[in-house]
């Protein structure tokens, strides 16, 4: 494999064309992605309602950084580098749980929820526990979404929170729970995963379940839609009901929110288009609110319908391996088997995720061919994927210049 520098590869890309193969295959590019994106910006980690009480914790692996996120006795959500200050063993080894203290399994060094070392046996008279506090990771919270950033000086979080919160808040995100979680490993570069997500050009040939209710709308990609009377009527009705709906996008393209109607007046992403949950997330009084779509690069996209929501979390496990976690969110008092049927709730996105996994893995195999050369994007169908690639190239060019 012949490679050049990450910046050199990016500069080879033609406007509105796919990127060179080594952007997905190079060890150097992957390390640059980690350094300048994953370790330098805000990454979605989970939801506040996944930490219901003091001592509740969730863990994540962000590149080389193991992280634990915990709710303190004061109710504050904090994050720490999940590495014992003694000899480095991970303190919390489960994906989630609840603990009276944060206890390292190796030698039982014990920390409180504020990261203070409170117990370490056989360390001698001169040992000062106050010198061994856990190192904190920056936390940003918006509308139940927990973001973390491992940078010494994290970028601004307030602009994103201010833009996103009015869109998500009417769906009462603090009153939700996780009804079901699915974790899959895709044998593909993380950028291929997000590229696949950002267009539905492939949907007709690959997503029959999703296309029962979902229709790609050019307005999602920022191509207007003002000339579509039915779309304008839909947006006007939603906004009259207190649901911000018109496209809002970060000036650099890193995050976006917009609302779209669903096909055939469907209420939800289900095989029959009917609600999967017999409760409403919102109190707008609007009959058909479609789906609120929001993404934040590099690792999350989200859908909020009238009855439930989906949050997707992507994390890189290597240059050719990506973890995708899907959470189905329902009202916190909804009861499985009474208020919703799990198969009805999950079957569309179980099928769609499996189909997308296959597509990403086939793309990884294809771009790995020494004969692969990138091609141009469709002017009408691939504006979303072009927007992601434009953001990636611009972000990395700024970082590497």
């Amino acid at each position: 494999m012949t490679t050049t520098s990450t910046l050199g590869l990016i500069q080879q890309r033609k406007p509105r064309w796919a990127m060179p193969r080594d952007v997905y295959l190079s060890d150097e590019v992957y390390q640059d992605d980690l350094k300048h994106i994953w370790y330098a910006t805000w990454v979605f980690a989970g939801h506040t309602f996944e930490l219901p009480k003091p001592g509740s914790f969730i863990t994540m692996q962000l590149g080389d950084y193991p992280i634990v996120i915990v709710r303190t006795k004061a109710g504050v959500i904090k994050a720490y580098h999940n590495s014992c200050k003694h000899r480095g063993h991970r303190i919390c080894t489960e994906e989630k749980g609840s603990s009276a203290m944060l206890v390292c399994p190796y030698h039982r060094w014990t920390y409180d929820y504020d990261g203070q070392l409170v117990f370490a046996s056989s360390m001698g008279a001169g040992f000062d526990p106050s010198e061994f506090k856990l190192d904190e990771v920056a936390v940003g919270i918006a509308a139940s979404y927990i973001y973390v950033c491992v940078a010494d000086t994290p970028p601004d979080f307030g602009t994103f929170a201010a833009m996103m919160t009015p869109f998500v808040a009417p769906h009462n995100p603090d009153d939700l729970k996780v009804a079901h979680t699915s974790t899959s490993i895709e044998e593909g570069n993380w950028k291929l995963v997000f590229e696949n997500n950002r267009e539905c050009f492939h949907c007709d040939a690959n997503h029959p379940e999703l296309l029962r209710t979902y229709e790609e709308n050019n307005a999602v990609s920022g191509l207007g839609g003002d000339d579509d009377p039915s779309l304008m009527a839909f947006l006007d009705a939603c906004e009259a009901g207190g649901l911000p709906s018109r496209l809002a996008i970060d000036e650099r393209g890193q995050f976006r929110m917009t609302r779209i109607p669903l096909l055939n007046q469907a209420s939800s992403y289900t095989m029959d288009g009917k609600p999967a949950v017999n409760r409403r997330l919102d109190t707008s009084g609007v009959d058909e609110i479609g789906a609120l779509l929001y993404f934040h690069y590099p690792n999350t996209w989200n859908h909020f319908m009238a009855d439930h929501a989906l949050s997707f979390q992507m994390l890189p496990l290597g240059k050719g391996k990506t973890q995708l976690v899907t959470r189905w969110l329902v009202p916190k008092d909804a009861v499985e088997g009474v208020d919703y049927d799990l198969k009805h709730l999950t079957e569309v996105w179980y099928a769609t995720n499996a189909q997308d996994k296959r597509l990403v893995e086939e793309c990884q195999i294809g771009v790995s061919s020494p004969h692969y050369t990138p091609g141009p994007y469709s002017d009408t169908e691939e504006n979303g994927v072009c927007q992601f690639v434009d953001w990636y190239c611009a972000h990395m060019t700024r970082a590497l210049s």
Side-chain angles (χ1 to χ4, degrees), residues 310-332:
L310 293 139
S311 70
F312 298 84
Q313 176 193 33
M314 181 176 69
L315 293 169
L317 302 181
K319 67 179 181 181
K321 182 176 293 188
T322 304
Q323 175 180 282
L324 180 66
V325 179
T326 306
R327 294 170 171 90
W328 284 262
L329 312 178
V330 302
K332 64 182 180 183

Side-chain angles (χ1 to χ4, degrees), residues 349-386:
W349 275 100
Y350 256 109
T352 303
N353 283 347
Q355 293 150 0
D356 282 334
K357 170 181 164 67
R358 184 191 71 248
L359 294 171
V360 167
E361 293 179 346
E362 289 294 338
C363 280
Q364 183 72 31
I365 294 170
V367 300
S368 298
S369 167
H371 196 67
Y372 169 74
T373 55
Y377 292 132
S378 164
D379 288 337
T380 57
E381 301 294 339
E382 292 178 295
N383 289 288
V385 66
C386 187

